[in-house]
Amino acid sequence: MSSNELPERTAPEKESPTKELAELSGPAPAENTAPESEATEDSPDRRVLLIAAAVLLACGGLVGYGVLNTEEEPKPRAVPTAEVTYEVTGTGTAEIAYLARSEAGTATVEKGVTLPWKKSVEVPLGKAPIVAIVLDEKGGRASCTLAVRGQHVQRATAMGEFGRATCSGELPAAGAGEG
């Protein structure tokens, strides 16, 4: 270096504005060290959560559809019936079981009925109307009668302590003899 030559002075390096902002805002966040292929793929745990969320959403939609479904449900078709009159005559008390309008075909039971007793009911066609009586421990005498559409069908008599009698008949099958 000659005496005439001055050492070259370099101006202090000016820092870039982004570097200054980074220093003011605190330490830089750690860089993602995962390979690029892993960074773009969902982790298995995240996939399970996404699938569970989708299933939950689908179930919620189905429940919502059921609650909000405003279509009218089809009304059950009326079952054709015939009028049946059951009558129990006599004195005292009895237990009476009879078939009335019940698609299950179960009997209605009335206990401790004071005689005489009479009831008209609708019985589904195809079912066999029936009335059964059981006298109490005091016994006595009682008769049951059965009429279908006003026509007498059967009569039976019970006598004595816990005497029993049953009257039954036939109704046409549904669709036959209606009117």
Side-chain angles (χ1 to χ4, degrees):
M1 194 183 308
S2 65
S3 61
N4 290 345
E5 285 183 30
L6 293 170
E8 200 174 296
R9 266 179 114 177
T10 58
E13 212 174 275
K14 230 181 180 181
E15 294 187 13
S16 72
T18 54
K19 191 172 182 183
E20 287 175 7
L21 282 175
E23 288 174 0
L24 290 175
S25 65
E31 289 186 28
N32 187 359
T33 56
E36 193 172 314
S37 64
E38 284 183 27
T40 57
E41 278 186 33
D42 289 333
S43 68
D45 290 340
R46 186 169 178 162
R47 276 187 253 146
V48 168
L49 287 175
L50 288 173
I51 291 171
V55 168
L56 211 64
L57 187 61
C59 289
L62 289 174
V63 169
Y65 175 75
V67 169
L68 298 176
N69 184 4
T70 57
E71 292 180 26
E72 284 188 31
E73 295 294 321
K75 294 180 181 171
R77 294 185 356 190
V79 177
T81 61
E83 183 181 63
V84 175
T85 302
Y86 302 118
E87 186 173 8
V88 179
T89 57
T91 57
T93 58
E95 179 178 292
I96 302 173
Y98 59 94
L99 180 65
R101 185 181 182 115
S102 170
E103 290 181 25
T106 57
T108 300
V109 178
E110 295 185 21
K111 297 182 179 192
V113 177
T114 302
L115 301 179
W117 173 89
K118 183 176 184 177
K119 188 157 211 136
S120 291
V121 297
E122 294 294 319
V123 175
L125 294 182
K127 301 281 185 187
I130 187 168
V131 61
I133 56 174
V134 178
L135 297 172
D136 64 11
E137 67 276 354
K138 294 177 187 170
R141 182 183 174 112
S143 296
C144 65
T145 58
L146 173 72
V148 176
R149 295 181 177 148
Q151 299 284 327
H152 176 76
V153 176
Q154 189 177 27
R155 178 184 187 101
T157 301
M159 293 185 290
E161 197 175 306
F162 301 107
R164 298 172 183 261
T166 302
C167 292
S168 62
E170 293 292 323
L171 289 180
E178 293 178 40

